Amino acid sequence: MNTKYFKLIIVLVSFPVFFTGCELFGLDFQEPYEYDYDAGMPSNKVNMSTYDFIASRSDIFSLLHEAIIYTGLENEFRQPDVTYILPTDKALNSETETDLSYFQMHKLSYYDDESGQIVLYAPISMTAYPKDVVKEFLLYHIVKGKYTHSNLPAEPTWYDTFAAADTAKVNMYILKDRNPNIAFNNFNGHYKSEIKPRTSNLLSDEGSYIHVLDSWLDRPKKNQLTNK
């Protein structure tokens, strides 16, 4: 038999076996996805405003959504060309010591008449704090300008936020390890180092980037702004 035709027969016989083998060994075919030819990657659009995105995910943003309504900042989460850093419920109310949630690190107090002592407790809602404190917290998690994997530097860099204090800056850069990702507020003295997003590079309808964190960010002191 001609060698050329023999090879063709082998290929035709092996072809269905190959695809059957993929299924047998659990190598399922990749599902098709929407390809963004301008970005060169699967579409990262959430197809809604950042505020609507938060409201639609009550499973992870119920406390954040409540805080936004409490402070009347709904429109601040509909801005174009900014970077939203969204802390999840876990970032705010986790009770584990390793997570260092906002409620655990910002306990409130009351005077217990029976014991005659001051009792500390972790609240269950951001509405337990003064409205101006919560407002500054939310505005600190909105960075002026659009920043994501494609335009952040490899060196820690400070960026302005919408919070009022002169130290209200967020530190961001691309952390290059086995799985490169964005690092947030990785500076000496921050309560947690190398904070990475659970989801990043989402794009809202207004054209703002969204990064979702299971941690919250604490702003630096003046001396920490110069000491990376």
Side-chain angles (χ1 to χ4, degrees), residues 120-136:
L120 297 177
Y121 71 97
I124 60 173
S125 168
M126 291 293 282
T127 61
Y129 300 101
K131 191 172 293 186
D132 60 337
V133 171
V134 179
K135 181 178 181 179
E136 283 296 288

Side-chain angles (χ1 to χ4, degrees), residues 4 13 19 49 51 53 60 62 69 76 101-102 107 119 124 127 142-143 145 147 151 166 168 172 176-177 197 201 218:
K4 178 180 178 181
V13 171
F19 284 101
S49 70
Y51 176 77
F53 174 66
I60 59 172
S62 63
I69 295 173
E76 297 297 326
S101 70
Y102 186 85
K107 292 183 177 180
V119 178
I124 60 173
T127 61
I142 307 176
V143 179
Y147 299 103
N151 64 349
D166 56 1
M172 295 187 294
K176 294 186 177 180
D177 56 14
N201 196 46
D218 197 11

Side-chain angles (χ1 to χ4, degrees), residues 48-67:
M48 61 183 79
S49 70
T50 301
Y51 176 77
D52 290 337
F53 174 66
I54 293 169
S56 72
R57 293 300 306 272
S58 59
D59 55 323
I60 59 172
F61 292 133
S62 63
L63 294 172
L64 178 61
H65 188 210
E66 181 183 49

